[in-house]
Amino acid sequence: MEEPICQPLIEPSFYDLVVVGTGLPESILAAGASAIGKSVLHLDPNGFYGSHFSSLSLHPFIQFLETQQNIPSQLPEHPTVIATSSPSDDYSSFSIKSRRLYSEIEICTFAPEALEPSRSFSLDLSGPRVLLCADPMVDLMLKSGASHHIEFKSIDGNFIYIDGRLSPVPDSREAIFKDRNLGLTEKSQLMRFFKLVHEHFSSSEGDGQEGRRISEDDLESPFYKFLRKQRLPAKIKSIILYAIAMADYDQESPEDCKKLLRTKDGIEGLALYHASVGRFPNALGAFIYPIYGQGELPQAFCRCAAVKGCLYQERSHYKGVRLASGQDIFSHQLLMDPSIAIPSFVSSSMSDLKYEEFDGSNSGEASKKKVTKVARGVCITSVSVMADFPNLLIVFPPRSLHAKQLTSVRAIQLSNMLICPPGLCVLYFATLCDSGILGKKSLRAAMKALFGPIVCENSESSLPESHETKPTLLWSAMYIQELAEGVELDDVNSCFMPDGTLHYRELLKSTTKLFKKMFLQEELFPETAADATDDEPVERPE
């Protein structure tokens, strides 16, 4: 039996909520519970904040992925769960099992000397991900006070890959007029469509403006059919569907599309995008990104929780957790990181302990069905993909890279965000996939479009041959991440893995739903008088 780790005694020993893991959902829930007066103990077996939403320097990033290759099923550093078979019984402890959530990991180093100092990097585990300036997550940061603990910079450009080249996304009236890749007819068609969407929402809000409304039948119809009804050309449809509405799957192939976008959802996405452009005076476009990486987001909410008193360091009969030090901590509820399999307590026989598996359905029931995965890639390059754009977003629509590409590939290039040494750039790639083979094929095709052919047979490879004026690739990593939406078991819950979207909206919806389930319809970060007057911009001037 392992000796307990010597740690200071935590007082008190009973809490309303114990949270294991400092991922973004866990940190929001811990801060939200603290904000409504709940006592919270926040634990993390990792030596860093953020869990699967963290930003790590180069060597710890590599080490984290490498440990995922042969992750043990049970980690002694994890707390154990304390439970009882009936309210009157003495409690027993049950070990927590870990789940392997990353696989098919490939790491290639082409120019090790160019990667020093390695601590100058801050690489996101779940990139690419950005915030729209009008995103509900931005509103939550302002409301909760998390915006006081984090700074942002804007993404300079938004591009789409069409017909073998990158074209700027014409996302505003000014951008449409300046776009040299659109003809006069295309500009007119796009302007008319944007005007239709604007008039629809203006008349819906009852602001007194006369305008057309989109019919209910059209709102419930597939978005691609509505765009076709507007007689928009293929190029314009692709820009609207994938670069602005951010559809994941090939919308015009319903047989291959796992998530068909309704017109209602599509135009709401457009409205959110347009509301983001110009929301903050020092943000150039619709998107912003946290300085030092997205790992700053969970840290900001952890600081909010600490300010409110969160401590850091009968149906299911859950009682509490036993720390690595051997101390027992009791609580009404337990919230777990998604990499931890939750014990399902069977009151008839505690020896019949089972572990809940994740099936992406948020149902809490074990399932062996095939789940969608996310193929992710990280690249370090010598120069920017586009001159004069240190920070940019690129969307590769379905089938723009190869015939079997069924999902969008998204990429973000970041340079002056304090996440890499001056002069270098970091690019993140991601796409949804059913298999790692197809996912990686799409990522490689996107990288080839930006960098030229890449060959990586070993962890140490020769420098790729330079092609035209394309950036030189210095280092790359590719891996497959499992998707898991979490498990709900009365007093014990788990959070979810980062999804395959570019934004945080679905994550926030799931987090808010779980908060209301845990705290009986309490509001997540109830507004105070001070909040009502806090109009601090999220992005602060340099």
Side-chain angles (χ1 to χ4, degrees), residues 431-474:
T431 187
L432 293 170
C433 59
D434 287 330
S435 74
I437 294 174
L438 284 177
K440 285 187 173 182
K441 180 178 180 180
S442 293
L443 293 191
R444 288 193 180 95
M447 293 175 186
K448 180 180 178 181
L450 300 181
F451 314 134
I454 300 167
V455 177
C456 179
E457 296 178 353
N458 306 301
S459 58
E460 295 287 337
S461 302
S462 58
L463 197 65
E465 188 178 328
S466 181
H467 291 263
E468 303 169 357
T469 58
K470 293 183 177 181
T472 300
L473 185 59
L474 307 176

Side-chain angles (χ1 to χ4, degrees), residues 520-538:
L520 301 178
Q521 305 304 309
E522 287 267 17
E523 183 182 356
L524 180 62
F525 296 109
E527 188 168 329
T528 65
D531 296 329
T533 59
D534 186 4
D535 58 354
E536 176 193 352
V538 173

Side-chain angles (χ1 to χ4, degrees), residues 10-32:
I10 295 176
E11 291 291 348
S13 61
F14 186 89
Y15 298 86
D16 293 313
L17 174 66
V18 170
V19 180
V20 180
T22 53
L24 184 55
E26 298 97 298
S27 300
I28 292 174
L29 290 165

Side-chain angles (χ1 to χ4, degrees), residues 391-509:
N391 309 306
L392 57 89
L393 168 66
I394 302 171
V395 176
F396 299 84
R399 305 190 198 276
S400 64
L401 294 166
H402 59 85
K404 293 185 178 180
Q405 180 201 350
L406 303 179
T407 57
S408 298
V409 176
R410 302 185 182 100
I412 295 176
Q413 175 191 278
L414 303 166
S415 180
N416 58 0
M417 296 284 188
L418 301 180
I419 64 162
C420 60
L424 300 185
C425 297
V426 175
L427 287 96
Y428 299 102
F429 298 80
T431 187
L432 293 170
C433 59
D434 287 330
S435 74
I437 294 174
L438 284 177
K440 285 187 173 182
K441 180 178 180 180
S442 293
L443 293 191
R444 288 193 180 95
M447 293 175 186
K448 180 180 178 181
L450 300 181
F451 314 134
I454 300 167
V455 177
C456 179
E457 296 178 353
N458 306 301
S459 58
E460 295 287 337
S461 302
S462 58
L463 197 65
E465 188 178 328
S466 181
H467 291 263
E468 303 169 357
T469 58
K470 293 183 177 181
T472 300
L473 185 59
L474 307 176
W475 180 90
S476 70
M478 276 195 289
Y479 48 98
I480 305 301
Q481 179 217 296
E482 302 294 329
L483 285 176
E485 293 185 9
V487 174
E488 297 178 8
L489 295 172
D490 296 326
D491 301 327
V492 182
N493 302 278
S494 77
C495 284
F496 23 85
M497 288 293 288
D499 58 23
T501 64
L502 191 66
H503 51 76
Y504 293 88
R505 293 197 295 281
E506 296 304 318
L507 178 149
L508 184 54
K509 285 181 185 177

